[in-house]
């Protein structure tokens, strides 16, 4: 008998319940776990076909989270549904996704072709509001919003860090 356990690549704790956390694996599964019940998963979410690179609980809606994967997608989930509620194909492996600190409908994602994608679900539920190439010969791996100023920081696989000022139409 052969047993295979996929490696964990990312995790994030719920702001609603500090005992609950999500784990993204290299085989594309997301497991909801509990610090109290470490023998089994509370729930497993299937939807990605590649490694899950990042999971982030939404800071505004406590039962919603976002995930991104090497399968080129960002998916939005409700914690009580087994399949995603929305999916976005970005055309390249997605290294990171993060929620905006100033709006519950805005999130950003970065891809391996060096682009930053900014989405606002209140404006367009299908396409990013902004798509910007930041680096030429590196893969973007991390993104985060400044908590006060309209700036995002992106990091790449070569150790580079870039700061980008959001245009006025993206500062709502």
């Amino acid at each position: 008998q052969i047993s295979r356990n996929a490696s964990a690549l990312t995790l994030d704790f719920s702001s609603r319940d500090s005992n609950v956390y999500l784990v993204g694996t290299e085989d594309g599964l997301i497991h909801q776990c509990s610090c109290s019940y470490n023998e089994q998963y509370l729930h497993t979410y299937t939807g990605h076909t590649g490694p899950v690179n990042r999971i982030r609980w939404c800071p505004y809606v406590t039962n919603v989270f976002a995930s991104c994967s090497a399968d080129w997608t960002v998916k939005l989930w409700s914690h009580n549904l087994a399949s995603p509620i929305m999916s976005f194909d970005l055309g390249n492996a997605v290294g990171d996704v993060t929620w905006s600190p100033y709006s519950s409908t805005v999130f950003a994602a970065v891809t391996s072709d060096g682009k930053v994608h900014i989405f606002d679900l209140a404006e367009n539920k299908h396409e990013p509001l902004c798509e910007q190439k930041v680096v030429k010969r590196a893969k973007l791996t991390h993104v985060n919003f400044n908590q006060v100023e309209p700036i995002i920081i992106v990091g790449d696989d070569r150790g580079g860090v870039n700061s980008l000022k959001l245009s006025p139409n993206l500062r709502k």
Side-chain angles (χ1 to χ4, degrees), residues 17 65 82 92-93 96 108-109 149:
D17 182 356
F65 64 93
N92 272 285
D96 197 3
E149 301 296 329

Side-chain angles (χ1 to χ4, degrees), residues 1-165:
Q1 183 178 17
I2 298 175
S3 174
R4 180 176 181 264
N5 291 322
S7 298
L9 299 178
T10 182
L11 68 89
D12 195 24
F13 279 87
S14 169
S15 61
R16 170 179 53 90
D17 182 356
S18 61
N19 210 23
V20 174
Y21 60 98
L22 298 168
V23 177
T25 66
E26 68 181 351
D27 63 359
L29 298 176
I30 299 171
H31 301 293
Q32 184 181 43
C33 306
S34 171
C35 295
S36 301
Y37 304 103
N38 59 6
E39 297 284 324
Q40 61 190 12
Y41 308 124
L42 299 177
H43 192 74
T44 297
Y45 305 91
T46 57
H48 286 293
T49 58
V52 178
N53 292 325
R54 182 76 67 209
I55 298 171
R56 305 265 185 156
W57 285 99
C58 180
Y60 304 100
V61 184
T62 58
N63 66 334
V64 171
F65 64 93
S67 64
C68 68
S69 171
D71 69 3
W72 299 9
T73 63
V74 171
K75 297 188 185 287
L76 302 183
W77 307 78
S78 173
H79 88 284
N80 54 0
L81 298 175
S83 57
I85 54 177
M86 296 186 86
S87 183
F88 306 90
D89 187 339
L90 301 188
N92 272 285
V94 186
D96 197 3
V97 64
T98 191
W99 295 96
S100 161
Y102 53 81
S103 173
S104 62
T105 60
V106 175
F107 65 91
V110 293
T111 54
S112 63
D113 62 347
K115 290 182 182 177
V116 176
H117 305 261
I118 308 288
F119 289 85
D120 185 348
L121 300 176
E123 297 292 325
N124 190 333
K125 292 178 178 65
H126 306 288
E127 300 291 327
L129 286 184
C130 174
E131 184 178 301
Q132 179 69 44
K133 184 132 175 119
V134 177
V135 293
K136 291 183 182 178
R137 296 189 264 310
K139 297 176 183 178
L140 292 180
T141 57
H142 290 79
V143 62
N144 214 342
F145 285 88
N146 182 294
Q147 297 296 313
V148 178
E149 301 296 329
I151 296 171
I152 59 171
I153 303 293
V154 295
D156 63 44
D157 67 343
R158 295 182 178 200
V161 176
N162 293 288
S163 65
L164 306 166
K165 187 174 185 179

